[in-house]
mmCIF file with all atom_site columns, all heavy atoms in Angstrom:
data_model
loop_
_atom_site.group_PDB
_atom_site.id
_atom_site.type_symbol
_atom_site.label_atom_id
_atom_site.label_alt_id
_atom_site.label_comp_id
_atom_site.label_asym_id
_atom_site.label_entity_id
_atom_site.label_seq_id
_atom_site.pdbx_PDB_ins_code
_atom_site.Cartn_x
_atom_site.Cartn_y
_atom_site.Cartn_z
_atom_site.occupancy
_atom_site.B_iso_or_equiv
_atom_site.pdbx_formal_charge
_atom_site.auth_seq_id
_atom_site.auth_comp_id
_atom_site.auth_asym_id
_atom_site.auth_atom_id
_atom_site.pdbx_PDB_model_num
ATOM 1  N N   . LEU A 1 100 ? -41.126 -216.480 141.821 1.00 98.00 ? 116 LEU A N   1
ATOM 2  C CA  . LEU A 1 100 ? -42.316 -216.754 142.479 1.00 98.00 ? 116 LEU A CA  1
ATOM 3  C C   . LEU A 1 100 ? -43.376 -217.298 141.466 1.00 98.00 ? 116 LEU A C   1
ATOM 4  O O   . LEU A 1 100 ? -44.210 -218.212 141.830 1.00 98.00 ? 116 LEU A O   1
ATOM 5  C CB  . LEU A 1 100 ? -42.856 -215.501 143.139 1.00 98.00 ? 116 LEU A CB  1
ATOM 6  C CG  . LEU A 1 100 ? -44.188 -215.593 143.949 1.00 98.00 ? 116 LEU A CG  1
ATOM 7  C CD1 . LEU A 1 100 ? -44.126 -216.536 145.065 1.00 98.00 ? 116 LEU A CD1 1
ATOM 8  C CD2 . LEU A 1 100 ? -44.732 -214.240 144.467 1.00 98.00 ? 116 LEU A CD2 1
ATOM 9  N N   . TRP A 1 101 ? -43.576 -216.636 140.392 1.00 97.00 ? 117 TRP A N   1
ATOM 10 C CA  . TRP A 1 101 ? -44.474 -217.019 139.335 1.00 97.00 ? 117 TRP A CA  1
ATOM 11 C C   . TRP A 1 101 ? -44.173 -218.492 138.838 1.00 97.00 ? 117 TRP A C   1
ATOM 12 O O   . TRP A 1 101 ? -44.977 -219.403 138.781 1.00 97.00 ? 117 TRP A O   1
ATOM 13 C CB  . TRP A 1 101 ? -44.354 -216.180 138.141 1.00 97.00 ? 117 TRP A CB  1
ATOM 14 C CG  . TRP A 1 101 ? -45.157 -216.362 137.030 1.00 97.00 ? 117 TRP A CG  1
ATOM 15 C CD1 . TRP A 1 101 ? -46.339 -217.165 136.827 1.00 97.00 ? 117 TRP A CD1 1
ATOM 16 C CD2 . TRP A 1 101 ? -44.968 -215.862 135.682 1.00 97.00 ? 117 TRP A CD2 1
ATOM 17 N NE1 . TRP A 1 101 ? -46.730 -217.209 135.458 1.00 97.00 ? 117 TRP A NE1 1
ATOM 18 C CE2 . TRP A 1 101 ? -45.913 -216.348 134.739 1.00 97.00 ? 117 TRP A CE2 1
ATOM 19 C CE3 . TRP A 1 101 ? -43.902 -215.014 135.104 1.00 97.00 ? 117 TRP A CE3 1
ATOM 20 C CZ2 . TRP A 1 101 ? -45.915 -216.147 133.463 1.00 97.00 ? 117 TRP A CZ2 1
ATOM 21 C CZ3 . TRP A 1 101 ? -43.981 -214.728 133.706 1.00 97.00 ? 117 TRP A CZ3 1
ATOM 22 C CH2 . TRP A 1 101 ? -45.078 -215.248 132.927 1.00 97.00 ? 117 TRP A CH2 1
ATOM 23 N N   . GLY A 1 102 ? -42.828 -218.800 138.685 1.00 97.00 ? 118 GLY A N   1
ATOM 24 C CA  . GLY A 1 102 ? -42.390 -220.218 138.332 1.00 97.00 ? 118 GLY A CA  1
ATOM 25 C C   . GLY A 1 102 ? -42.719 -221.168 139.301 1.00 97.00 ? 118 GLY A C   1
ATOM 26 O O   . GLY A 1 102 ? -43.260 -222.254 139.114 1.00 97.00 ? 118 GLY A O   1
ATOM 27 N N   . LEU A 1 103 ? -42.564 -220.895 140.611 1.00 98.00 ? 119 LEU A N   1
ATOM 28 C CA  . LEU A 1 103 ? -42.899 -221.753 141.789 1.00 98.00 ? 119 LEU A CA  1
ATOM 29 C C   . LEU A 1 103 ? -44.432 -221.966 141.784 1.00 98.00 ? 119 LEU A C   1
ATOM 30 O O   . LEU A 1 103 ? -44.879 -223.148 141.946 1.00 98.00 ? 119 LEU A O   1
ATOM 31 C CB  . LEU A 1 103 ? -42.318 -221.165 143.004 1.00 98.00 ? 119 LEU A CB  1
ATOM 32 C CG  . LEU A 1 103 ? -42.948 -221.856 144.380 1.00 98.00 ? 119 LEU A CG  1
ATOM 33 C CD1 . LEU A 1 103 ? -42.474 -223.271 144.394 1.00 98.00 ? 119 LEU A CD1 1
ATOM 34 C CD2 . LEU A 1 103 ? -42.376 -221.043 145.499 1.00 98.00 ? 119 LEU A CD2 1
ATOM 35 N N   . ALA A 1 104 ? -45.193 -220.885 141.701 1.00 98.00 ? 120 ALA A N   1
ATOM 36 C CA  . ALA A 1 104 ? -46.706 -220.992 141.717 1.00 98.00 ? 120 ALA A CA  1
ATOM 37 C C   . ALA A 1 104 ? -47.175 -221.833 140.565 1.00 98.00 ? 120 ALA A C   1
ATOM 38 O O   . ALA A 1 104 ? -48.091 -222.635 140.796 1.00 98.00 ? 120 ALA A O   1
ATOM 39 C CB  . ALA A 1 104 ? -47.286 -219.679 141.757 1.00 98.00 ? 120 ALA A CB  1
ATOM 40 N N   . GLU A 1 105 ? -46.668 -221.741 139.480 1.00 96.00 ? 121 GLU A N   1
ATOM 41 C CA  . GLU A 1 105 ? -47.117 -222.507 138.309 1.00 96.00 ? 121 GLU A CA  1
ATOM 42 C C   . GLU A 1 105 ? -46.754 -223.993 138.479 1.00 96.00 ? 121 GLU A C   1
ATOM 43 O O   . GLU A 1 105 ? -47.507 -224.828 138.158 1.00 96.00 ? 121 GLU A O   1
ATOM 44 C CB  . GLU A 1 105 ? -46.421 -221.955 137.006 1.00 96.00 ? 121 GLU A CB  1
ATOM 45 C CG  . GLU A 1 105 ? -46.986 -222.551 135.745 1.00 96.00 ? 121 GLU A CG  1
ATOM 46 C CD  . GLU A 1 105 ? -46.394 -221.735 134.604 1.00 96.00 ? 121 GLU A CD  1
ATOM 47 O OE1 . GLU A 1 105 ? -45.400 -222.234 134.115 1.00 96.00 ? 121 GLU A OE1 1
ATOM 48 O OE2 . GLU A 1 105 ? -47.021 -220.876 134.122 1.00 96.00 ? 121 GLU A OE2 1
ATOM 49 N N   . GLU A 1 106 ? -45.607 -224.241 139.038 1.00 97.00 ? 122 GLU A N   1
ATOM 50 C CA  . GLU A 1 106 ? -45.173 -225.586 139.417 1.00 97.00 ? 122 GLU A CA  1
ATOM 51 C C   . GLU A 1 106 ? -46.140 -226.279 140.423 1.00 97.00 ? 122 GLU A C   1
ATOM 52 O O   . GLU A 1 106 ? -46.578 -227.386 140.144 1.00 97.00 ? 122 GLU A O   1
ATOM 53 C CB  . GLU A 1 106 ? -43.758 -225.588 139.954 1.00 97.00 ? 122 GLU A CB  1
ATOM 54 C CG  . GLU A 1 106 ? -43.178 -227.056 140.186 1.00 97.00 ? 122 GLU A CG  1
ATOM 55 C CD  . GLU A 1 106 ? -42.604 -227.588 138.986 1.00 97.00 ? 122 GLU A CD  1
ATOM 56 O OE1 . GLU A 1 106 ? -42.498 -226.846 137.838 1.00 97.00 ? 122 GLU A OE1 1
ATOM 57 O OE2 . GLU A 1 106 ? -42.438 -228.878 138.924 1.00 97.00 ? 122 GLU A OE2 1
ATOM 58 N N   . ILE A 1 107 ? -46.604 -225.480 141.419 1.00 97.00 ? 123 ILE A N   1
ATOM 59 C CA  . ILE A 1 107 ? -47.548 -226.017 142.481 1.00 97.00 ? 123 ILE A CA  1
ATOM 60 C C   . ILE A 1 107 ? -48.759 -226.228 141.684 1.00 97.00 ? 123 ILE A C   1
ATOM 61 O O   . ILE A 1 107 ? -49.512 -227.206 142.056 1.00 97.00 ? 123 ILE A O   1
ATOM 62 C CB  . ILE A 1 107 ? -47.707 -225.065 143.591 1.00 97.00 ? 123 ILE A CB  1
ATOM 63 C CG1 . ILE A 1 107 ? -46.290 -225.001 144.420 1.00 97.00 ? 123 ILE A CG1 1
ATOM 64 C CG2 . ILE A 1 107 ? -48.787 -225.442 144.522 1.00 97.00 ? 123 ILE A CG2 1
ATOM 65 C CD1 . ILE A 1 107 ? -46.237 -223.785 145.391 1.00 97.00 ? 123 ILE A CD1 1
ATOM 66 N N   . SER A 1 108 ? -49.232 -225.282 140.982 1.00 97.00 ? 124 SER A N   1
ATOM 67 C CA  . SER A 1 108 ? -50.523 -225.364 140.259 1.00 97.00 ? 124 SER A CA  1
ATOM 68 C C   . SER A 1 108 ? -50.594 -226.714 139.361 1.00 97.00 ? 124 SER A C   1
ATOM 69 O O   . SER A 1 108 ? -51.652 -227.357 139.322 1.00 97.00 ? 124 SER A O   1
ATOM 70 C CB  . SER A 1 108 ? -50.767 -224.084 139.290 1.00 97.00 ? 124 SER A CB  1
ATOM 71 O OG  . SER A 1 108 ? -51.973 -224.191 138.714 1.00 97.00 ? 124 SER A OG  1
ATOM 72 N N   . GLU A 1 109 ? -49.514 -226.923 138.603 1.00 95.00 ? 125 GLU A N   1
ATOM 73 C CA  . GLU A 1 109 ? -49.550 -228.092 137.742 1.00 95.00 ? 125 GLU A CA  1
ATOM 74 C C   . GLU A 1 109 ? -49.407 -229.446 138.639 1.00 95.00 ? 125 GLU A C   1
ATOM 75 O O   . GLU A 1 109 ? -50.067 -230.408 138.308 1.00 95.00 ? 125 GLU A O   1
ATOM 76 C CB  . GLU A 1 109 ? -48.417 -228.012 136.846 1.00 95.00 ? 125 GLU A CB  1
ATOM 77 C CG  . GLU A 1 109 ? -48.523 -226.950 135.732 1.00 95.00 ? 125 GLU A CG  1
ATOM 78 C CD  . GLU A 1 109 ? -47.392 -226.855 134.780 1.00 95.00 ? 125 GLU A CD  1
ATOM 79 O OE1 . GLU A 1 109 ? -46.587 -227.813 134.823 1.00 95.00 ? 125 GLU A OE1 1
ATOM 80 O OE2 . GLU A 1 109 ? -47.488 -225.916 133.909 1.00 95.00 ? 125 GLU A OE2 1
ATOM 81 N N   . THR A 1 110 ? -48.811 -229.352 139.683 1.00 95.00 ? 126 THR A N   1
ATOM 82 C CA  . THR A 1 110 ? -48.607 -230.607 140.503 1.00 95.00 ? 126 THR A CA  1
ATOM 83 C C   . THR A 1 110 ? -49.922 -230.999 141.295 1.00 95.00 ? 126 THR A C   1
ATOM 84 O O   . THR A 1 110 ? -50.177 -232.028 141.474 1.00 95.00 ? 126 THR A O   1
ATOM 85 C CB  . THR A 1 110 ? -47.360 -230.432 141.473 1.00 95.00 ? 126 THR A CB  1
ATOM 86 O OG1 . THR A 1 110 ? -46.257 -230.122 140.694 1.00 95.00 ? 126 THR A OG1 1
ATOM 87 C CG2 . THR A 1 110 ? -47.208 -231.680 142.316 1.00 95.00 ? 126 THR A CG2 1
ATOM 88 N N   . PHE A 1 111 ? -50.547 -229.930 141.832 1.00 95.00 ? 127 PHE A N   1
ATOM 89 C CA  . PHE A 1 111 ? -51.756 -230.128 142.674 1.00 95.00 ? 127 PHE A CA  1
ATOM 90 C C   . PHE A 1 111 ? -52.906 -229.387 142.166 1.00 95.00 ? 127 PHE A C   1
ATOM 91 O O   . PHE A 1 111 ? -53.572 -228.540 142.780 1.00 95.00 ? 127 PHE A O   1
ATOM 92 C CB  . PHE A 1 111 ? -51.456 -229.577 144.066 1.00 95.00 ? 127 PHE A CB  1
ATOM 93 C CG  . PHE A 1 111 ? -50.274 -230.183 144.754 1.00 95.00 ? 127 PHE A CG  1
ATOM 94 C CD1 . PHE A 1 111 ? -49.056 -229.451 144.837 1.00 95.00 ? 127 PHE A CD1 1
ATOM 95 C CD2 . PHE A 1 111 ? -50.337 -231.481 145.326 1.00 95.00 ? 127 PHE A CD2 1
ATOM 96 C CE1 . PHE A 1 111 ? -47.967 -230.066 145.433 1.00 95.00 ? 127 PHE A CE1 1
ATOM 97 C CE2 . PHE A 1 111 ? -49.258 -231.998 145.923 1.00 95.00 ? 127 PHE A CE2 1
ATOM 98 C CZ  . PHE A 1 111 ? -48.021 -231.267 145.950 1.00 95.00 ? 127 PHE A CZ  1
#
Side-chain angles (χ1 to χ4, degrees):
L116 178 66
W117 177 21
L119 170 60
E121 192 172 83
E122 187 79 15
I123 291 171
S124 175
E125 290 182 8
T126 304
F127 304 100

